[in-house]
Amino acid sequence: MKVKKINDWFEKFGRFEVKHRWAFLICLIFISVFGSLGLSRLTLDNGEEDWFDDWETTKKNQDHFEDIFGSTDSLLAHIKAKDVFDPEVLTMIEGLGDDLLQNVPYAKSITSLMELSIPVGREDSIEVTSPFKDGVPSVAEELAEKKAFILSRESLVNTLVSADATETWLIVNLEQYSENLTEAMEKIAPPAMKVFSDPKYKSDKWEIRPAGMSYTEYEEEAVTMNQLVTRIFTGFIVMLVCLTVFIRSLRGIIVPSISTVGALTTTLGFSGWLGIKGNNSMLMITVLLSMALAVGYSVHYINSFKMHFRKTGKRKESIVLSVRDSGWALFFTVITTMAGMLSFLAAGIRPMRWVGGITAAAVFAVFAYIIILLPVLYSFGKDKEPDSTFVNTEGATKADLRVEAMGKAILNKKWITVIATVLVMAAMIPGIFKIKVNMNYSDMMGERTPYIKRLLEITRSQLGSQYDYEVLIEYAEEDAIKNPRVLKSMDILAQRIGTLSQTKVSNGKPRVSSVTKIVKEMNRTLNEDREDAYIIPDDQDLVTQIMFLYEISGGTDLYDYISNDFRAAYLKVELSGYDGEEIVKNLAEVKKWVAELFPDAENAGVVGEVVQYAQMNRKLVRGSIKSIGTSLVIILLLLVLAFTSIRTGFIAMIPNIVPIVLIGGIMGYAGVNLDMITAMIMPMILGIAVDDTIHFTNHIKYHFELSGNYRSAIENSYREIGKTMIMTTVILCAMFAIFLTSTMNVLVNIGWLSVVGLGSALIADYTITPVLLYIAKPFLKEK
């Protein structure tokens, strides 16, 4: 394929465009207005059902569990004090519980030191009571007695209250809600935050740390969106400043801005018109890539125009020549970038497929805005007399000539360039094999974010646990859970789960709760409160009597863990952290043990939001890796087709593989996990990096067709677009470097991944690409 022939076609298109500039401008405005009107119809959310292909089954299992036991969500307050049995602390706990119960939607009941159900043996009966049902005692001896009694209960110590009485939980049990988590947290979190922030709950005597799935999810979304929007807006300002410094043209600043905003509003608007639901958490990729490409495309075209205008002084002719020189390269970069983003379709996850499609459309829209607005706007104005200095240098500036001189030096030391590239790549490859594919929530978010710091403080405390899951055991026949064999199997399962890496252990006690703790506590009470009687009785009739006695004595916790017909029960497992890969491994062990211990159960398995998201994150990372591989293959095929040369295609791929290898190596050596963000950012970097490769390789091929000499073609390309490549990379790196100022590690990773990736891609384009073209000579023979 002759580049000259393609460029001649784009030259004709440029003349046609300038001649009919008003028609092009009016059509673009009409499409933009029509598209933007569709924004009111656009639906963006982060619904969990979009992340699972088998969501119906997942939702069915979750709903079934909640139909039996109620909501798996709860609102928590971790309370730390010198002594949580201090009268002031207990009074605060009682007031806080009452306020949360009254003000938080779906609040059903409170579990705290002030609201307990503990069996107590009397002379002729058993009573299930709360030690503080009559309030906080005013007599110190009576308070000390109640404290000692609570701390003697095996089921409470290191579960609800720490053994040293410095920590305790206040738990707001929530009713089952019909909405999804995203909608429910909008109702639950704000009033809870208002209660927690009330001045009457601030004191030097205690510290209150709120938590809970809906509460922290609300915080995460608010903080993430705030930080993301702030960084993107600041990056946009940085883009404008850099364009002002480098381009020094009002039109050169306005067009990229209009192109970014116009492309996004038009593509999202058409998505609204077509009724396609989007995902707000994935839109970041589209916004960042649109900004980056608008800068890259604009700088390439504007610098080409300036070079011809300095040389000829003829405005419209310079515009046509710029379209000729840049049109095909820009169009081909659009095709390859779109192909890279469409590789997200291979991930098999709906939000990723959506962001792949919408970003590919936005990339094309950015190109359409640039290729129309720049020629049209730059066509207005007067011609000028050409500067003789620039006529002699073919329109090149001193900076262009310095870049050309650098290119000559690189060619003169071509083998040093090859050896250095091989050594760097070889040094990075071992690091790639050190990368762990995992989503560790704490590592991703980082402790510099206040709410994450609070959650990690909770997690590291004696009682702390932010996440949990449930293990459901369900039988076909009624009263099956009363069978001592089933209850003892549940105890065995709890002991095994307590050995898993992600299970929280408080002072040597695994945080696994079930109905067995009530049965064992009652059995102990019936046996003169002997500690050795804290066991499951062997007699099923005795188990039945214990449960009945607990219920008629006023106990309220029995049906928190067991169904009304005694067909189903569950174990609640609290986690020490959120390590996605480890959680998936732990769940595999739990499922194996459940099948072994409850072979005759009708339904047995693991449920909970954490389970769903751990599986989702694993699938998301795997899907992202698959999309990276797919995009590399597609881009390689397109490069081979575009240059009609297998050798040229492979050579052009090298500067695009270099940043991926370099990033992978650094991540491996630095111990940075490959999570859903780092994996998804790779195709975006690849989509940006391939632009300069195509421009440079295409320019070299074009000049080779004119001169028949490889060295001359490469040197001319350095002079004509070398400075442009530096400018676009510097601007983009400055934009992405803004993310390094974030307090969230996940956004910091976006920043350094982008800077390293784009910087290394530029170095590779400047060095190994022209050197390999010079050595391999993949085009025709030299004349």
Side-chain angles (χ1 to χ4, degrees):
M1 184 184 296
K2 292 283 187 181
V3 176
K4 186 177 182 306
K5 289 183 178 180
I6 301 175
N7 284 3
D8 289 343
W9 184 90
F10 273 96
E11 182 179 345
K12 292 177 182 177
F13 173 76
R15 295 189 188 282
F16 179 81
E17 188 177 16
V18 171
K19 182 178 180 180
H20 302 282
R21 56 189 179 183
W22 283 109
F24 275 92
L25 193 58
I26 291 170
C27 287
L28 185 64
I29 292 172
F30 174 78
I31 293 172
S32 300
V33 171
F34 179 77
S36 63
L37 292 175
L39 288 174
S40 60
R41 300 170 176 262
L42 180 66
T43 303
L44 290 175
D45 63 31
N46 198 23
E48 58 225 337
E49 66 273 10
D50 293 332
W51 295 96
F52 302 93
D53 290 333
D54 57 346
W55 171 250
E56 292 301 326
T57 302
T58 304
K59 186 71 166 63
K60 183 179 178 181
N61 293 338
Q62 186 72 22
D63 288 345
H64 177 66
F65 179 88
E66 294 188 354
D67 285 342
I68 300 173
F69 301 107
S71 174
T72 57
D73 192 10
S74 59
L75 181 62
L76 310 169
H78 178 259
I79 299 166
K80 186 174 176 61
K82 187 176 181 179
D83 183 1
V84 294
F85 289 94
D86 182 289
E88 287 188 53
V89 178
L90 290 174
T91 302
M92 177 276 295
I93 291 174
E94 185 175 32
L96 179 60
D98 290 342
D99 281 353
L100 290 172
L101 195 60
Q102 293 172 12
N103 293 286
V104 176
Y106 302 111
K108 180 176 63 174
S109 62
I110 298 293
T111 301
S112 70
L113 290 176
M114 301 301 294
E115 300 285 343
L116 293 173
S117 294
I118 304 176
V120 180
R122 305 299 184 191
E123 289 184 3
D124 56 351
S125 65
I126 289 180
E127 179 185 359
V128 178
T129 183
S130 174
F132 297 111
K133 65 178 181 179
D134 297 323
V136 181
S138 57
V139 180
E141 289 78 6
E142 185 181 351
L143 178 60
E145 183 182 338
K146 292 181 181 296
K147 173 182 177 180
F149 173 69
I150 291 174
L151 293 178
S152 70
R153 299 299 93 184
E154 178 73 18
S155 59
L156 298 178
V157 175
N158 293 321
T159 300
L160 182 71
V161 59
S162 62
D164 61 3
T166 60
E167 297 178 22
T168 187
W169 279 111
L170 186 154
I171 304 169
V172 182
N173 304 298
L174 300 176
E175 294 177 349
Q176 182 179 359
Y177 40 76
S178 57
E179 306 101 319
N180 60 35
L181 179 62
T182 303
E183 295 171 338
M185 69 186 189
E186 297 284 348
K187 296 180 179 180
I188 295 169
M193 289 178 175
K194 187 176 180 180
V195 172
F196 285 126
S197 61
D198 192 312
K200 68 183 178 182
Y201 297 121
K202 307 294 182 184
S203 173
D204 295 335
K205 286 196 170 185
W206 61 74
E207 184 178 357
I208 302 173
R209 299 182 180 125
M213 181 66 76
S214 53
Y215 190 90
T216 53
E217 285 288 327
Y218 181 88
E219 285 185 300
E220 178 185 347
E221 185 165 311
V223 171
T224 301
M225 291 305 297
N226 176 267
Q227 293 236 355
L228 194 58
V229 169
T230 301
R231 265 68 196 176
I232 290 177
F233 178 76
T234 307
F236 190 77
I237 299 299
V238 169
M239 177 188 81
L240 298 181
V241 172
C242 290
L243 287 172
T244 303
V245 173
F246 287 118
I247 301 299
R248 299 177 186 177
S249 165
L250 182 60
R251 282 175 278 201
I253 298 170
I254 291 174
V255 172
S257 306
I258 294 176
S259 299
T260 301
V261 176
L264 288 171
T265 55
T266 302
T267 50
L268 292 173
F270 274 100
S271 182
W273 282 117
L274 296 173
I276 301 172
K277 187 177 77 169
N279 186 277
N280 51 17
S281 65
M282 304 290 285
L283 189 59
M284 170 191 70
I285 301 293
T286 308
V287 175
L288 291 177
L289 193 58
S290 297
M291 288 171 57
L293 295 182
V295 170
Y297 296 167
S298 298
V299 172
H300 274 285
Y301 179 86
I302 292 169
N303 279 350
S304 179
F305 164 78
K306 285 186 172 182
M307 182 187 70
H308 289 295
F309 194 48
R310 286 192 296 264
K311 182 168 58 176
T312 65
K314 297 178 180 178
R315 178 172 292 275
K316 291 184 179 179
E317 185 64 22
S318 298
I319 289 167
V320 171
L321 294 176
S322 299
V323 174
R324 181 198 68 185
D325 292 348
S326 305
W328 166 239
L330 287 177
F331 179 74
F332 186 55
T333 60
V334 169
I335 298 300
T336 53
T337 305
M338 289 177 65
M341 298 314 299
L342 289 174
S343 67
F344 277 18
L345 299 177
I349 300 173
R350 276 180 291 233
M352 287 189 68
R353 291 198 291 264
W354 175 79
V355 79
I358 200 70
T359 305
V363 168
F364 185 81
V366 167
F367 169 74
Y369 274 88
I370 296 296
I371 204 66
I372 292 174
L373 286 179
L374 281 176
V376 167
L377 293 182
Y378 271 95
S379 67
F380 293 100
K382 299 178 180 179
D383 293 342
K384 68 176 185 179
E385 289 295 322
D387 190 321
S388 59
T389 303
F390 292 124
V391 172
N392 296 332
T393 60
E394 297 293 323
T397 62
K398 291 181 180 179
D400 295 323
L401 296 176
R402 281 194 289 268
V403 172
E404 181 184 10
M406 181 183 67
K408 291 178 180 179
I410 291 172
L411 290 180
N412 291 337
K413 294 179 171 45
K414 54 185 179 293
W415 291 113
I416 294 177
T417 300
V418 173
I419 293 170
T421 303
V422 171
L423 290 176
V424 171
M425 296 281 278
M428 290 296 108
I429 288 174
I432 294 176
F433 293 99
K434 296 178 181 288
I435 296 177
K436 292 182 180 179
V437 179
N438 187 22
M439 177 175 172
N440 188 308
Y441 187 79
S442 300
D443 289 346
M444 283 184 63
M445 305 306 287
E447 290 192 55
R448 291 185 298 162
T449 303
Y451 91 94
I452 293 296
K453 183 180 180 181
R454 187 189 76 240
L455 295 182
L456 291 178
E457 287 174 349
I458 294 175
T459 302
R460 292 164 185 159
S461 67
Q462 296 181 68
L463 300 183
S465 173
Q466 171 55 26
Y467 302 101
D468 57 63
Y469 61 87
E470 291 78 34
V471 183
L472 172 65
I473 311 296
E474 185 176 12
Y475 286 86
E477 62 276 7
E478 292 186 4
D479 295 332
I481 301 301
K482 295 178 180 178
N483 189 328
R485 179 186 60 80
V486 174
L487 292 172
K488 289 184 178 183
S489 293
M490 291 176 66
D491 249 8
I492 294 171
L493 178 61
Q495 292 169 12
R496 292 183 182 180
I497 292 175
T499 65
L500 295 174
S501 61
Q502 290 295 289
T503 302
K504 175 73 176 182
V505 178
S506 295
N507 297 320
K509 182 179 179 180
R511 299 287 293 279
V512 184
S513 304
S514 71
V515 70
T516 61
K517 73 176 185 179
I518 297 175
V519 176
K520 290 189 289 187
E521 197 70 71
M522 283 291 293
N523 191 59
R524 174 181 172 176
T525 304
L526 287 171
N527 287 275
E528 300 174 348
D529 207 30
R530 298 197 320 269
E531 291 186 11
D532 62 342
Y534 189 75
I535 58 173
I536 303 292
D538 293 323
D539 186 353
Q540 182 165 341
D541 290 337
L542 180 55
V543 170
T544 302
Q545 290 175 21
I546 285 175
M547 290 185 177
F548 177 71
L549 187 58
Y550 178 84
E551 189 175 359
I552 65 171
S553 300
T556 59
D557 295 341
L558 182 64
Y559 295 110
D560 288 344
Y561 295 100
I562 201 167
S563 63
N564 292 329
D565 54 9
F566 298 93
R567 291 178 56 246
Y570 75 93
L571 295 86
K572 180 178 180 179
V573 184
E574 298 179 58
L575 302 178
S576 59
Y578 188 90
D579 186 320
E581 197 74 4
E582 281 298 306
I583 290 174
V584 170
K585 291 177 183 177
N586 285 186
L587 295 180
E589 288 294 314
V590 173
K591 291 174 183 176
K592 183 179 70 175
W593 293 332
V594 167
E596 174 192 335
L597 294 169
F598 307 96
D600 52 344
E602 180 185 51
N603 182 25
V606 185
V607 295
E609 293 283 352
V610 168
V611 177
Q612 297 169 13
Y613 285 106
Q615 294 172 338
M616 177 198 75
N617 292 323
R618 190 180 197 188
K619 184 178 180 182
L620 185 58
V621 173
R622 305 293 188 209
S624 299
I625 294 173
K626 187 176 180 181
S627 72
I628 293 171
T630 304
S631 64
L632 285 171
V633 172
I634 292 174
I635 290 173
L636 173 61
L637 292 175
L638 288 172
L639 290 171
V640 170
L641 288 173
F643 296 116
T644 59
S645 167
I646 294 176
R647 279 195 299 170
T648 306
F650 274 96
I651 291 171
M653 274 303 295
I654 290 175
N656 299 295
I657 295 175
V658 166
I660 294 178
V661 173
L662 189 63
I663 289 172
I666 294 173
M667 287 176 62
Y669 289 129
V672 179
N673 289 336
L674 184 65
D675 53 45
M676 69 178 194
I677 298 299
T678 54
M680 287 182 60
I681 209 73
M682 293 286 193
M684 188 188 79
I685 294 173
L686 184 60
I688 300 172
V690 74
D691 291 1
D692 281 342
T693 305
I694 291 171
H695 277 286
F696 205 29
T697 306
N698 187 72
H699 234 75
I700 292 171
K701 191 172 190 295
Y702 173 67
H703 278 288
F704 178 79
E705 290 174 5
L706 296 178
S707 67
N709 183 274
Y710 279 97
R711 189 177 188 95
S712 173
I714 293 170
E715 290 174 359
N716 285 337
S717 298
Y718 271 116
R719 184 180 68 247
E720 292 183 4
I721 67 167
K723 182 181 71 176
T724 300
M725 291 164 61
I726 294 175
M727 288 170 58
T728 56
T729 303
V730 169
I731 294 173
L732 295 179
C733 286
M735 288 166 54
F736 284 109
I738 294 299
F739 286 89
L740 297 174
T741 64
S742 174
T743 60
M744 298 174 64
N745 287 350
V746 65
L747 297 185
V748 173
N749 286 339
I750 291 175
W752 78 261
L753 279 172
S754 301
V755 171
V756 171
L758 296 174
S760 59
L762 174 67
I763 294 172
D765 278 324
Y766 251 65
T767 56
I768 195 64
T769 301
V771 164
L772 289 179
L773 290 173
Y774 185 61
I775 294 173
K777 295 180 171 50
F779 309 138
L780 300 174
K781 291 183 179 180
E782 285 188 310
K783 295 179 183 178

